[in-house]
Amino acid sequence: MKKTILHIALLTSCLCGVGVRQVKAQQTAAQVFRAAGTPQNPKVTVNWTRYYDYDGLTEICAKLAKAYPDLVKLETIGDSYEGRRIWALTISDFTTGDPERKPAMYIDGNIHSNEIQGSEFALYTAWYLVENFQDNKFIQELLQQKTFYILPIINPDARHNFMHQPNTAQASRSGMIPLDDDGDGLVDEDVPDDLNKDGHITFMRRKSSNGRYVVDPQNPLRLIPAKPDQPGEYELLGYEGLDNDSDGLMNEDPPGYYDPSRDWGWNWQPNYIQPGAYKYPFSVPENRSVKDFVLRHPNIAGAQNYHHNGGMALNAQGAEDQNTFTREDNQVYDLLTRNAQQVIPGYTYSVVYKDLNSAFGGELDWFHGARGIFTFSNELMSPFLQLDRKVASGEEREAEQQELNKMLLLTDAFVEWKPFDHPTLGKIEIGGFKKNFPRAHPGFLLEEDAHRNMAFTVYQAYQLPQLVIQEVNTRKLSNGLTEVTATVANNRILPTHSSQDLKHRIERPDYISLRDSTVVSGMVLESAGANRGKEQKLNPARLEIPNVPGMGSVKVRWIVSATKPNLLVEVDSRKGGVVSQRF
């Protein structure tokens, strides 16, 4: 028995020694068995099961740019209201051409203060692409052909405030511009407060014969409505807080109660029609910076905005009176969404005004309506990824959240009820969910959902226009003339111009040029098999093409005054990229 105890003591001592040495050492590539779909030995190591504040995300961005100078460019596109820089990452294979002359995918996150996971999702995409570039042929070809513009945090002040100041999961969605929301001439005087100084702002309740709630017999942490023949035991008093201005209200005057996602210059409405709208379109400085960035990059053909919770892929139809969608555009959205529903279990394809509520002045509406960009706004974390496929609401949804906290988080997301003497309410109890749940993903779901959404945006980028010059044929004519016919195809789902783009002439036409000074005539043929077309008399060497449809083609023809013309053909499209070929 003594020998056994001695052996155990010696083994424990040895293991402890090994453990100390392993903490100090770096694991080598030989010690790692690579899991499919993950980088083997990333240059920038990031734990994607946690959240990072503004400084933390800034550091990750800087490390990526330093580690991959041929794939990543980091720039600031403007400053927030409180002076924080708004970062933009350009991800592309810079050795294969100018990223601004490739079709581009735009991604952003964290427009709302308490919808923080969008930043991690956006930055995970940048990290995944560059860390897998060396070993993944698909990603190599994708970044050779396409560009990603990724803005992880477009509301940096609000992110900083949400993480570092007392807040709740339901904190104001706005930025940090101060507003007097209750009209008493004071700003920010009635905000939720951590009364018991436990590091969390949770709920207040108190026992009352007039209460409408009783303790759930299945879960003592939860209150449920009392039955009609059952006496109530508790009344809910809202979040922890005080009536600082003696107006009889608590928590009603938070910092800056406006909605940055109701500030965009498409179908914008004032606050009395659309609650949350600020002074005028793009009155929020962060949104103006994003708008200016998008206008400087007309190669953006697809976009993705990340929000928080619900498991929905929303398209750009915020209000029912918009006339921005045609059958052709809807077909593109439908094809893209099929992929989302496959790779993100439980996600549903939804239309804002049909499936949620009318929203005027939304970001995704501006992207599609004003810029003609095919845009999705994903509400993240499908209930399917939590406990089951059921999408619940109200009290039923709250019960599911309690079950998730109990069964998968082992009650870590909830602060148990504790007594507290409130200066005006008397003896109360304080407890409830922490601010990191349920709107924010639990850590174990964060990386999985980030990866699935990344895969969806990569698919969108893959389906951006891909133009190829299929063939060029010549035919000798009389009088030293030669007929040159070229066919240009688009091998992807997205057209070079959406119907909204064509309707409002948002972007210039595509150009198909024959680099030969002897061109005397040029025309766009009516169809691939037609032998007639519409002549372009002005500058016939550079033909203007309204659109190259998805999975379609166009045919053009020139007459040149040469028996051996220069057969260098170039296609130049804002959203379809630039390609040239000599025949």
Side-chain angles (χ1 to χ4, degrees), residues 34 106 114 178 231-232 234 350 403 419 434 512 516 523 563 580:
R34 181 174 178 269
Y106 169 95
N114 56 358
Y234 282 96
S350 305
E403 287 301 302
K434 302 172 184 177
I512 302 179
D516 191 304
M523 68 180 67
T563 56
S580 63

Side-chain angles (χ1 to χ4, degrees), residues 475-483 520 559-563:
R475 185 168 68 95
K476 300 297 182 182
L477 304 177
S478 59
N479 300 320
L481 300 176
T482 302
E483 177 188 272
V520 296
I559 306 298
V560 298
S561 180
T563 56

Side-chain angles (χ1 to χ4, degrees), residues 288-468:
R288 286 200 300 273
S289 294
V290 174
K291 178 259 295 181
D292 292 343
F293 178 85
V294 173
L295 292 177
R296 292 195 302 270
H297 295 85
N299 58 325
I300 296 174
Q304 175 73 61
N305 320 131
Y306 283 130
H307 285 249
H308 78 296
N309 193 300
M312 292 177 285
L314 303 171
N315 75 5
Q317 296 185 78
E320 58 269 32
D321 62 348
Q322 294 194 51
N323 186 28
T324 58
F325 276 70
T326 64
R327 179 175 59 86
E328 291 79 11
D329 284 356
N330 274 320
Q331 285 177 339
V332 173
Y333 279 102
D334 290 343
L335 289 170
L336 293 176
T337 308
R338 290 177 193 173
N339 175 267
Q341 292 172 329
Q342 286 181 315
V343 301
I344 317 175
Y347 270 49
T348 58
Y349 180 33
S350 305
V351 178
V352 178
Y353 76 86
K354 289 182 179 179
D355 301 302
L356 295 174
N357 53 269
S358 291
F360 297 93
E363 180 185 7
L364 75 166
D365 300 82
W366 180 79
F367 267 78
H368 182 88
R371 300 306 304 153
I373 298 169
F374 289 96
T375 308
F376 285 94
S377 181
N378 280 12
E379 298 287 353
L380 307 169
M381 195 162 67
S382 164
F384 178 91
L385 300 177
Q386 299 172 49
L387 287 176
D388 54 38
R389 294 177 183 269
K390 187 178 181 182
V391 180
S393 60
E395 294 176 2
E396 195 175 21
R397 182 78 183 108
E398 197 266 343
E400 287 186 359
Q401 292 165 354
Q402 288 279 8
E403 287 301 302
L404 190 152
N405 174 56
K406 176 182 175 182
M407 298 171 67
L408 290 172
L409 304 181
L410 309 181
T411 71
D412 180 60
F414 199 93
V415 177
E416 293 191 21
W417 297 98
K418 295 180 180 178
F420 182 79
D421 287 329
H422 194 281
T424 56
L425 299 175
K427 293 187 179 297
I428 64 170
E429 296 176 10
I430 294 177
F433 283 119
K434 302 172 184 177
K435 71 179 176 183
N436 62 0
F437 185 83
R439 293 177 72 92
H441 286 61
F444 78 97
L445 285 178
L446 185 61
E447 183 170 7
E448 177 187 355
D449 209 9
H451 185 89
R452 291 180 180 276
N453 277 269
M454 175 277 299
F456 175 46
T457 57
V458 165
Y459 176 77
Q460 292 179 61
Y462 175 79
Q463 294 295 354
L464 300 181
Q466 184 67 39
L467 302 180
V468 295

Side-chain angles (χ1 to χ4, degrees), residues 68-82:
Y68 296 97
D70 291 335
L71 298 175
V72 182
K73 182 182 77 171
L74 177 63
E75 63 179 315
T76 179
I77 66 168
D79 293 336
S80 68
Y81 175 79
E82 292 183 343

Side-chain angles (χ1 to χ4, degrees), residues 464-506:
L464 300 181
Q466 184 67 39
L467 302 180
V468 295
I469 304 169
Q470 279 189 333
E471 62 178 359
V472 172
N473 298 314
T474 61
R475 185 168 68 95
K476 300 297 182 182
L477 304 177
S478 59
N479 300 320
L481 300 176
T482 302
E483 177 188 272
V484 180
T485 305
T487 302
V488 175
N490 179 359
N491 292 335
R492 298 293 186 265
I493 291 174
L494 268 69
T496 56
H497 297 258
S498 66
S499 297
Q500 178 71 357
D501 185 342
L502 292 171
K503 178 181 177 180
H504 294 281
R505 298 184 180 182
I506 296 171

Side-chain angles (χ1 to χ4, degrees), residues 526-539:
E526 293 181 352
S527 65
N531 197 32
R532 63 183 184 276
K534 182 178 180 180
E535 183 180 5
Q536 179 182 305
K537 295 185 178 181
L538 182 64
N539 194 11

Side-chain angles (χ1 to χ4, degrees), residues 92-234:
S92 187
D93 183 356
F94 301 153
T95 67
T96 58
D98 184 352
E100 295 189 6
R101 304 197 78 186
K102 301 176 183 179
M105 181 74 194
Y106 169 95
I107 304 172
D108 72 31
N110 206 177
I111 190 171
H112 290 141
S113 66
N114 56 358
E115 299 181 4
I116 57 176
Q117 58 267 65
S119 293
E120 274 70 22
F121 280 44
L123 194 51
Y124 177 88
T125 303
W127 176 85
Y128 189 88
L129 289 172
V130 300
E131 293 291 357
N132 285 281
F133 179 82
Q134 181 176 353
D135 300 318
N136 189 304
K137 184 178 179 181
F138 174 85
I139 292 178
Q140 290 172 4
E141 293 179 353
L142 182 72
L143 296 187
Q144 288 167 5
Q145 301 166 356
K146 307 291 169 56
T147 295
F148 287 78
Y149 297 121
I150 298 177
L151 282 61
I153 326 169
I154 60 174
N155 195 347
D157 297 345
R159 184 182 187 88
H160 178 84
N161 176 272
F162 178 79
M163 289 187 170
H164 293 288
Q165 298 299 321
N167 271 299
T168 71
Q170 305 300 326
S172 169
R173 289 148 51 101
S174 65
M176 300 308 297
I177 300 174
L179 295 176
D180 174 21
D181 294 299
D182 57 2
D184 64 357
L186 300 174
V187 176
D188 304 351
E189 81 279 11
D190 272 359
V191 298
D193 190 16
D194 182 13
L195 298 180
N196 59 359
K197 307 304 178 186
D198 65 350
H200 308 286
I201 295 180
T202 51
F203 281 93
M204 301 184 296
R205 72 183 189 184
R206 68 180 170 187
K207 290 187 175 182
S208 170
S209 58
N210 296 321
R212 297 175 48 244
Y213 297 90
V214 296
V215 175
D216 185 352
Q218 304 299 321
N219 185 349
L221 299 179
R222 179 172 177 248
L223 295 181
I224 58 175
K227 296 178 181 179
D229 58 347
Q230 180 184 21
E233 183 180 2
Y234 282 96

